[in-house]
Amino acid sequence: QVQLVESGGGSVQAGGSLTLSCRAPGNFFGSHCMGWFRQTYGEKREDREAVATIYTGTGIKDYANFAKGRFTIDQHSANNTVTLQMDSLKPDDTATYYCVADWGHCGSNWWYQGSYAFWGRGTQVAVSS
């Protein structure tokens, strides 16, 4: 079992920024796929949507269309952390954000939540208009 610990959620006004962090165990952080999904209030668990992923081996990133140009995913090997910098936040970004991880490359199914064996508990983001 790989324990992922998220932090950095909170409340912000539209147009503001937040940075989410996800720490993975040091013995896992090597070359694996890590990223973020989100689930809005009232949404079914199976409808969680991918936000962004990164393959920590090469730094290759993938973004959902809504995240492109506003969100940036990065890895910080020194402290086994993946961050999600979220700028120009909108009320529609209000959700619980989950850190995810799986062994090896992210692959073409990076957008599919079933591709990830490990999930954090989630951190809440609230964006007010």
Side-chain angles (χ1 to χ4, degrees), residues 14-60:
S17 298
L18 282 173
T19 301
L20 307 182
S21 294
C22 174
R23 174 167 285 195
N27 60 358
F28 174 82
F29 194 77
S31 298
H32 300 302
C33 183
M34 294 186 66
W36 296 90
F37 274 66
R38 71 184 187 181
Q39 180 178 1
T40 58
Y41 180 75
E43 189 173 51
K44 296 178 182 178
R45 181 174 178 171
E46 55 264 33
D47 293 330
R48 290 172 178 171
E49 60 180 350
V51 179
T53 60
I54 185 168
Y55 174 57
T56 59
T58 60
I60 293 176

Side-chain angles (χ1 to χ4, degrees), residues 28-36 52-63 73-77 81-82 100-108 110 116:
F28 174 82
F29 194 77
S31 298
H32 300 302
C33 183
M34 294 186 66
W36 296 90
T53 60
I54 185 168
Y55 174 57
T56 59
T58 60
I60 293 176
K61 306 173 186 180
D62 288 292
Y63 292 95
I73 188 169
D74 277 313
Q75 60 179 356
H76 307 274
S77 301
T81 298
V82 168
V100 299
D102 200 39
W103 306 103
H105 292 267
C106 296
S108 58
W110 65 271
Y116 301 92

Side-chain angles (χ1 to χ4, degrees), residues 54-104:
I54 185 168
Y55 174 57
T56 59
T58 60
I60 293 176
K61 306 173 186 180
D62 288 292
Y63 292 95
N65 286 336
F66 68 80
K68 291 178 181 177
R70 298 192 300 129
F71 295 1
T72 303
I73 188 169
D74 277 313
Q75 60 179 356
H76 307 274
S77 301
N79 57 2
N80 307 324
T81 298
V82 168
T83 57
L84 183 69
Q85 172 69 36
M86 303 186 294
D87 298 317
S88 302
L89 283 162
K90 306 174 182 180
D92 285 350
D93 295 318
T94 296
T96 300
Y97 285 71
Y98 295 90
C99 180
V100 299
D102 200 39
W103 306 103

